[in-house]
Amino acid sequence: MSAHDHAPHEYDDPAHDRGGPGREHGHDHGGHGGHGHSHGVAADADRRWLGLALGLIAGFMAIEVVIGVVAQSLALISDAAHMLTDAVSIVLALIAMRLAARPARGGFTYGLKRAEILSAQANGLTLLLLAAWLAYEAVRRLFDPPPVEGGLVLVTALAGIAVNIVAAWFISKANRTSLAVEGAYQHVLNDLFAFIGTAVAGLIVLTTGFRQADSIATLVVVALMVKAGYGLVRDSGRIFLEAAPAHVDPDAVGDRLVGHPPVTEVHDLHIWTITSGQAALSAHVLVAPEGDCHAVRRNLESLLAKEYGITHTTLQVDHAQDALLTVGRAGEITGSHAADPHCADAHGPVHRQGPHDH
């Protein structure tokens, strides 16, 4: 068990790691294996790069709103609205970095690491709401387009392309393991594509007088906002609902663990994400009577780290007994085990060697 990065306290004594008195085996609880991993947003993440990107985006956004109103260009206003969500996402990411750096204490046993997930979800919802309003305005202007200053739109969009390239470079230097920071980075990239579309629309209006091109460019921006907003809401929602990481199949993990001799059964398997980039796993593992529970725990922790990248694990390892071998789904416990309170309500499928249902 690797050393924790917090100061020693009453729970760091060997007796606690052994499960304490009253446990049937001195090897019940595997510690949190491999605590050298990064826990979400690093406390030393480079806030300076995010601050530079924020200043650049906020300054250009203010100028763009004024120009958009003067030029009567909804495309420019929609780009400015998109940049507003970029600025908000960066501000929230900066706040999340500070909150996530606070040590876990009291009732917040994980600290405030999910502050970045809250910021990502708020940013995603804001994107979706803005997209709905801009879509309404764009469709309305398709049927009744106002006069648009194509030259002003073109010049402003070209400047926006340059600003977003620089801002994206700034954010790429920050800690992108954070869902909030990565969301801000993706938004700036979407903004870059949106400005390219706006520049094309400005050129079309300038050369052909086709004013609907401005509304069409706005709808392109709306599509990008919906895509980015939905992705953020979906990913943050999975974390809040304690779903397994998208790239991990819990059933496959359970079968992989039970296929490691002398493991005979794995149940109460849970895989979730504490914060972006930090998956966690807990499970109850039964091994054959002659098996070494300590060695099994160490081997399974190594397997999970190498094959699935899961290093924050809590494994309860016990020797299998006749009564324990009858563990199943809730409501399926029969025979002498019916009076045994052990795992009376098993969560999820039970993984055993050989064919079995999931």
Side-chain angles (χ1 to χ4, degrees):
M1 178 175 177
S2 59
H4 289 258
D5 50 15
H6 55 66
H9 51 61
E10 65 270 23
Y11 294 116
D12 288 332
D13 62 88
H16 175 74
D17 243 20
R18 291 193 302 269
R23 298 296 302 173
E24 189 172 353
H25 296 281
H27 37 61
D28 293 340
H29 291 281
H32 299 285
H35 275 258
H37 58 279
S38 170
H39 284 225
V41 185
D44 60 350
D46 198 343
R47 299 182 181 92
R48 182 170 64 92
W49 293 110
L50 289 177
L52 289 171
L54 176 61
L56 187 62
I57 288 173
F60 185 79
M61 177 190 67
I63 297 172
E64 188 180 18
V65 169
V66 174
I67 297 176
V69 172
V70 172
Q72 298 193 67
S73 170
L74 184 62
L76 285 181
I77 295 175
S78 66
D79 284 336
H82 198 172
M83 292 191 82
L84 175 62
T85 63
D86 294 345
V88 171
S89 70
I90 294 174
V91 170
L92 292 175
L94 288 168
I95 295 173
M97 284 180 178
R98 293 192 177 277
L99 293 177
R102 294 181 179 181
R105 59 165 60 96
F108 295 92
T109 57
Y110 283 125
L112 297 174
K113 299 186 184 304
R114 283 197 175 170
E116 62 143 337
I117 310 304
L118 278 172
S119 73
Q121 189 161 80
N123 189 33
L125 291 172
T126 303
L127 273 174
L128 294 176
L129 291 174
L130 278 174
W133 175 73
L134 290 171
Y136 168 78
E137 286 293 324
V139 172
R140 186 176 65 84
R141 290 193 178 201
L142 277 175
F143 296 100
D144 185 22
V148 177
E149 295 289 339
L152 198 54
V153 171
L154 176 59
V155 171
T156 306
L158 291 176
I161 291 173
V163 167
N164 276 273
I165 289 175
V166 176
W169 184 78
F170 284 158
I171 298 177
S172 71
K173 295 293 184 179
N175 176 23
R176 287 174 53 199
T177 62
S178 159
L179 182 61
V181 175
E182 179 65 15
Y185 178 73
Q186 292 300 327
H187 282 188
V188 172
L189 287 183
N190 283 336
D191 248 352
L192 175 60
F193 299 140
F195 271 114
I196 293 173
T198 302
V200 172
L203 182 62
I204 292 174
V205 173
L206 181 64
T207 57
T208 68
F210 181 64
R211 292 180 294 178
Q212 284 87 346
D214 185 74
S215 295
I216 294 172
T218 301
L219 291 174
V220 172
V221 177
V222 165
L224 293 173
M225 293 173 73
V226 169
K227 179 178 181 294
Y230 171 75
L232 285 173
V233 172
R234 178 198 61 206
D235 293 345
S236 59
R238 286 184 61 88
I239 293 176
F240 282 131
L241 293 174
E242 303 287 357
H247 65 284
V248 176
D249 180 359
D251 288 332
V253 173
D255 290 344
R256 183 70 181 88
L257 294 179
V258 83
H260 183 84
V263 177
T264 61
E265 181 178 304
V266 175
H267 59 268
D268 280 355
L269 172 63
H270 302 285
I271 308 175
W272 69 101
T273 303
I274 298 172
T275 189
S276 56
Q278 185 188 352
L281 177 148
S282 67
H284 191 183
V285 179
L286 303 182
V287 302
E290 68 277 7
D292 183 341
C293 290
H294 286 297
V296 168
R297 176 179 61 79
R298 290 192 296 267
N299 292 339
L300 293 184
E301 287 176 348
S302 177
L303 182 153
L304 289 168
K306 291 179 180 178
E307 296 190 13
Y308 300 99
I310 303 175
T311 55
H312 195 110
T313 59
T314 303
L315 301 176
Q316 179 180 341
V317 184
D318 289 300
H319 282 132
Q321 300 176 6
D322 291 341
L324 296 181
L325 293 177
T326 63
V327 172
R329 291 179 182 270
E332 296 179 356
I333 305 171
T334 58
S336 61
H337 184 61
D340 190 340
H342 179 79
C343 289
D345 184 17
H347 302 286
V350 175
H351 301 271
R352 296 192 179 97
Q353 295 178 356
H356 57 275
D357 294 330
H358 285 153

